Amino acid sequence: SDCESCPAGDSGASVAGGGPSVTPDQSGPGATLRYRAGGAGHQGYPGAAEWTTALGRYWSHDYAERIALDPDPGDETHVWLITKFGSFREFQDLGVGSLYETNSPSDEYRTLEWLGAGLGWELHDLDGTVQSFDATGRWTQTVDRNGNVTEGHYNVSNQLEWVDFPDQS
């Protein structure tokens, strides 16, 4: 009775998406490449143009998260987090202190903060981890509760070229 858990053909993927996950050779620790049928990059979904250009429709990886403006109203008052799993989290009702007051799904426990025009966003986790996103919505870095920084580096075409991990010197 629940189509989200029904298998789609012989692939084993659910109708709701969440397709297979693969880790390519030489991809480094924690860099999992994922495919989610009907997820990020789907035409008409928030951030589809940027997502499809960067990764291809429905593909994602651990460092591909981004913030996308909702087309209506088209500003920072209503945004979507596109997750590393190719799914979405909605944040709206920008309140006092630049924190979003409403989020969906209701079990989203992280707090999203808009830093101001041209500055981007910070996503605060309950464990003290903070993810930073630039003014275009791209993930730029994650700082864990111990101050360890994982940082993305982009080329002139705005493509992620490499990620620095805390244990690298």
Side-chain angles (χ1 to χ4, degrees):
S1 66
D2 180 5
C3 285
E4 290 189 6
S5 61
C6 301
D10 295 332
S11 69
S14 73
V15 175
S21 175
V22 295
T23 304
D25 290 339
Q26 310 290 324
S27 63
T32 303
L33 184 62
R34 298 178 181 88
Y35 179 83
R36 183 178 184 100
H42 187 77
Q43 187 175 6
Y45 284 5
E50 297 87 355
W51 194 270
T52 302
T53 301
L55 296 171
R57 186 180 295 175
Y58 311 137
W59 285 97
S60 185
H61 60 77
D62 288 345
Y63 308 104
E65 292 192 320
R66 73 176 298 121
I67 302 292
L69 300 178
D70 189 88
D72 182 27
D75 63 23
E76 69 284 339
T77 60
H78 186 186
V79 299
W80 297 83
L81 168 67
I82 306 174
T83 74
K84 63 185 175 185
F85 301 106
S87 61
F88 297 85
R89 300 289 185 257
E90 182 178 20
F91 295 88
Q92 54 187 334
D93 301 327
L94 192 58
V96 177
S98 300
L99 297 177
Y100 291 88
E101 296 179 355
T102 306
N103 54 290
S104 180
S106 61
D107 66 348
E108 176 57 63
Y109 55 86
R110 296 173 291 182
T111 303
L112 185 64
E113 178 182 9
W114 183 57
L115 302 175
L119 299 175
W121 293 264
E122 285 185 347
L123 184 65
H124 300 264
D125 204 323
L126 290 176
D127 70 359
T129 300
V130 178
Q131 289 180 271
S132 298
F133 300 86
D134 68 13
T136 67
R138 292 184 314 191
W139 169 83
T140 57
Q141 70 175 15
T142 300
V143 180
D144 71 16
R145 65 179 172 215
N146 299 316
N148 297 310
V149 179
T150 302
E151 184 175 19
H153 298 273
Y154 296 84
N155 64 22
V156 294
S157 299
N158 292 320
Q159 298 168 322
L160 182 65
E161 283 199 336
W162 77 88
V163 176
D164 283 334
F165 296 94
D167 60 347
Q168 295 175 331
S169 48

